[in-house]
Amino acid sequence: KAQKIKAKSRIRIRKGRSKSLRAKRIKGKGKLLYKTSNGKIAAVSAKGVVKAKKKGTVKITIYTLPTVKYKSAKKVVTVKVH
């Protein structure tokens, strides 16, 4: 079985502000993990809150680890900081 993650595929955020990705796991168990492609543009917390640092575009990867019953899942969110 595959796990599923629900989240918007794109968000816009102002420099200096924070915004939650509001990601949810629809199927499966386990914790959602977050990773940014460029920490100089935007950082993401363990709870999925994005902090915009400077203008640009960054990809945030939301993923889960595999469990006994479920395979891992991944969702990429494009964040534009303006």
Side-chain angles (χ1 to χ4, degrees):
K1 296 180 194 177
Q3 297 184 64
K4 290 189 179 179
I5 299 170
K6 181 180 177 184
K8 289 185 177 181
S9 58
R10 294 176 189 222
I11 64 166
R12 289 175 54 109
I13 186 170
R14 262 205 166 108
K15 180 182 154 190
R17 301 262 175 107
S18 295
K19 189 171 190 175
S20 175
L21 291 173
R22 294 187 192 150
K24 293 182 182 176
R25 187 182 52 265
I26 298 170
K27 278 187 172 180
K29 291 187 175 183
K31 194 174 177 181
L32 291 176
L33 304 168
Y34 303 88
K35 185 177 171 184
T36 181
S37 64
N38 189 338
K40 291 180 182 178
I41 296 173
V44 63
S45 74
K47 292 187 177 185
V49 177
V50 178
K51 170 79 174 164
K53 294 182 177 180
K54 71 179 198 177
K55 292 182 181 183
T57 303
V58 66
K59 292 189 185 295
I60 304 289
T61 305
I62 308 165
Y63 63 99
T64 61
L65 298 176
T67 63
V68 175
K69 290 186 178 182
Y70 294 95
K71 296 178 185 175
S72 62
K74 180 171 95 169
K75 171 101 178 165
V76 177
V77 179
T78 303
V79 177
K80 177 153 183 155
V81 178
H82 59 100

